[in-house]
Amino acid sequence: MSGRQTLLKVLLTKRHQETHRAFCLEYDKVARSIDRNLIGSSPSREAYGRWLKGHLKTKPHADHCRVLERMFPGHTVAELLAPYDPVGKGSGVHDMRSDPREAATKRREVFQLGATTLAIGLSESIWRGPDLFEQALDFSNVGEARLHFLEYEAARLGQKVPPPSVLPEALLHLASIRELLAYRQPTEAQRRLTRVGAKLSIVVGEIMFCANHFPLARRWYAAARRAADEAGDLHLGDLALTSAALMPTYSADPRSVLATVTARLEHAVGATPAIAWMWGLAALAYASLGDRTAFERAISRSRNTLERCSADELQPGILSFQPERHTFYEARGRADLGDLNGTAEAVSRALASYDNGASNDPALVRFAYACALAKAGEIEEACRFATDAIQEAPPAGHSITVVVRAHDFDALLTPTGAASADWREALAAIRAPDPAILQTMSPLRT
């Protein structure tokens, strides 16, 4: 074989990756997207030198071939390791051609279905096949249509509290983004992909939180913050931080809530839904601690911040904060402080705003009023409101938030009494979500 430079060397030179170290870094990045076991399998310096000069008598190892053809879509290994011909495309490496069966396998790898079938089974290959094919097409320059689709999907999944059934879908899109980010994308495309990844991480974190899997929820929210920081999106990072503050809110740990949000609020400039949300959670924490003055200040800051937000910022779902959610926080805070009249007024406003059946919030609003009634000694009316709260479950069922508030209310009642008999029967019928159910979900069951 001639000692002229190979097509591989020409392509690597154009990418400024012709040194052995630079090549191995890119090799491992691509190998990770195929099979994590291939990481670290890059060629030695001597073998790499032979690849660049075309000093080869036999074809490289099959794993090397897989990675090389993924690194340079549209080129076979024979073409890459043949002497470079700037005029034609002939390889001149006749002894390196594959037999027909091997060539068929390579064609399947271009579509990335064959390798996926071997790795994760036929059913998931069918589920991910189109997505994997698009990954090859978007190798290092993701198209506008693909970006728009992923952005649309993140917004759609965040439009409401996501039920567990959308978890496989969210994870599929995250896998797509993760694989696209493994390659060098143009700067703006990289930023947009990272923002979508942050939003989808919040969606997955919300599913984990509602399913009573706080450790995983905490990790997903942290990943969302990291992605938001990487994309330079402060508001999205604030949303992830606020979402993480929900866990101590529903774990009776108000001081941890304040530790989570106070530092950010002290440096907040401008009005965003996330900042309004943080003030609302701070208000709940102060009410739980019995600090009425701090509660009034925080709930007022939450309201004023919301009023300064533009209408298109106040979207429904978990990627924003809505006036009705603020009103719910006001109702719960006043209930915790024993303000029955203030709670009743806020509950009336909140229930008039919510679309019953769309989320767990209406049930939480009713529990706020039930708690206020119980503290005022109106047990029968309190139990009626609490029973209604349990019976009005959304289609996806009760989240951990409703279960926690149900038991908070029950703790306010005396162990015996006819007035609470119906309530205790309703309470016995609900259970905390079992996080193990998430492990049984398959993409084909969504």
Side-chain angles (χ1 to χ4, degrees), residues 18 28 49 72-73 94 153 157 159 216-217 223 238 342 380 389 404 406 412 415:
E18 65 271 24
D28 282 345
F72 301 97
H94 302 291
E153 286 294 285
L157 292 173
Q159 281 182 346
L216 268 180
D238 286 343
E380 184 173 352
V404 167
L412 298 174

Side-chain angles (χ1 to χ4, degrees), residues 305-356:
T305 303
L306 266 182
E307 290 173 351
R308 291 161 53 205
C309 293
S310 63
D312 41 339
E313 287 181 298
L314 304 178
Q315 299 296 322
I318 63 170
L319 301 177
S320 186
F321 185 63
Q322 305 78 31
E324 56 267 28
R325 176 65 67 89
H326 162 83
T327 308
F328 154 50
Y329 284 2
E330 180 183 354
R332 177 176 166 182
R334 295 195 183 286
D336 287 347
L337 292 167
D339 179 0
L340 180 59
N341 292 333
T343 303
E345 192 275 332
V347 165
S348 177
R349 284 188 283 118
L351 292 179
S353 302
Y354 276 113
D355 176 14
N356 283 0

Side-chain angles (χ1 to χ4, degrees), residues 284-305:
L284 287 183
Y286 287 127
S288 181
L289 293 169
D291 190 337
R292 184 182 298 272
T293 301
F295 165 78
E296 294 291 356
R297 182 179 67 249
I299 203 67
S300 177
R301 292 291 295 271
S302 176
R303 182 186 309 108
N304 292 339
T305 303

Side-chain angles (χ1 to χ4, degrees), residues 72-91:
F72 301 97
H75 295 287
T76 65
V77 171
E79 292 168 353
L80 291 169
L81 300 182
Y84 174 60
D85 180 359
V87 178
K89 197 179 177 182
S91 68

